[in-house]
Amino acid sequence: MTSTPTLDHERVVVRRGERSGLPVIVAIHSTRLGSAVGGCRMWTYSDWREGLADALRLSEAMSFKCAVAGIEHGGGKSVIPLPEGTVLTPELRTAVMRDLGDVVHELGGQYVVGSDVGTSGADMRTVRERTTWAADHDNVAGSEAGDEPMVEPTSLGVYESMRATANHLFGSPELRGLSAAIVGLGNVGGPLARRLAQDGVHLVVTDIDPTRRELAEEIGADWGGPDTLFSPVDIAVPAALGGVLSPETVPRLRCRAVVGPANNQLVDDGVADLIKAHGAVWVPDFIVNAGGVVWGVATQLDGRSVSDAVGQVREIGGRVADVLTRAGETGQTPLTVATEQARARLASAS
């Protein structure tokens, strides 16, 4: 999605928290398909308006993510922009989560909040002190016998996206013998790296946290540096912050495809055309990273079992295959195809 925020949103709330004194921002992009869903990002910004821009971008991307994934919900996002130098004490954290709960509650069910970068399931417990419209990460449906074990759903969606991309490029979904570069070994990149290593993928990985090197050594991956994304590999996997693909960086790519969970990987939508001209395939991030919202809606809002939720996440691979096939047939970029699909579904909703 473009890095320039648009204001075709249904509702945007900017509030100074009564308890915390911190800004609380909620952006609802669309409820045409159903109530908006999206996590709360708590991050340090040099100016609160940067947090507002993030909320606008990410809520729009969430609408597209839900639309392409076939989810009956719209897109929303909440952002708590922490001023530089903020010391987030336990007391301040509790206060701002209660402030967020008040704002969400006032929206009357238009928006259901969950955890995201900088927030956790424990934070959502605090939010639920003030509203029922918050994800309950402590109660996941589907504990009956025979269900699959718990998985990290976003990384599973990335994995299935990589298999679909490999099938498109190389004629087989099997990843064994291929190579991949992963930038970011956090909650998504870490489990993904383990899964790929088990599949026999040759990995080069990196993270800003040097302690993550222990994982690289454990799974037999090479440890890279700041330029890991531009390693000569089959698939590059941005799994950290966005904005990594620009007119300056695209010529440095030495991969056949870019398939990663990081949000807003392109500095603007025109970069998708540059990647295509460079001879690589970029799979839109709002398809690749949809596993988390697919899982959350299935288990927490729809009451589906774990095995059902796993099955829905695995369907992301089929959606990637469809987008890549249509892009190949029409000569469009996968971004154009996926965006048209999302807009068409939103337009047809009552």
Side-chain angles (χ1 to χ4, degrees), residues 41-254:
R41 174 170 294 195
M42 185 158 59
W43 198 251
T44 300
Y45 296 87
S46 59
D47 188 287
W48 68 269
R49 284 163 290 198
E50 293 180 3
L52 173 59
D54 243 4
L56 296 176
R57 279 191 296 264
L58 293 167
S59 58
E60 182 183 41
M62 184 61 76
S63 283
F64 282 42
K65 185 181 303 187
C66 291
V68 174
I71 297 173
E72 300 296 329
H73 287 276
K77 198 72 177 183
S78 49
V79 172
I80 298 170
L82 300 176
E84 292 180 338
T86 299
V87 178
L88 196 62
T89 64
E91 293 77 16
L92 181 58
R93 191 179 196 104
T94 296
V96 74
M97 287 299 116
R98 287 173 176 162
D99 289 337
L100 171 63
D102 286 343
V103 175
V104 171
H105 191 70
E106 291 170 13
L107 293 170
Q110 285 186 302
Y111 169 61
V112 181
V113 65
S115 60
D116 193 72
V117 176
T119 58
S120 65
D123 291 322
M124 292 304 104
R125 286 195 291 273
T126 304
V127 173
R128 288 201 307 279
E129 295 175 9
R130 308 297 303 173
T131 183
T132 59
W133 305 108
D136 187 354
H137 298 281
D138 298 323
N139 293 298
V140 176
S143 59
E144 67 267 21
D147 269 346
E148 295 194 35
M150 290 290 287
V151 298
E152 201 300 306
T154 306
S155 67
L156 177 60
V158 180
Y159 175 76
E160 294 298 337
S161 298
M162 293 178 69
R163 282 173 51 83
T165 304
N167 191 55
H168 177 78
L169 290 174
F170 310 119
S172 172
E174 296 303 317
L175 299 176
R176 181 171 299 277
L178 298 184
S179 56
I182 303 177
V183 178
L185 294 176
N187 293 333
V188 177
L192 176 64
R194 290 183 184 278
R195 187 184 293 269
L196 294 176
Q198 292 173 356
D199 268 14
V201 178
H202 175 71
L203 296 174
V204 54
V205 301
T206 194
D207 195 284
I208 58 172
D209 182 354
T211 65
R212 301 273 167 80
R213 190 164 186 162
E214 296 177 3
L215 172 60
E217 294 173 353
E218 177 188 338
I219 63 177
D222 295 332
W223 183 258
D227 293 334
T228 295
L229 190 67
F230 311 108
S231 303
V233 293
D234 295 304
I235 303 176
V237 185
L241 296 178
V244 295
L245 297 172
S246 67
E248 292 73 32
T249 60
V250 167
R252 301 176 58 197
L253 291 172
R254 293 190 287 169

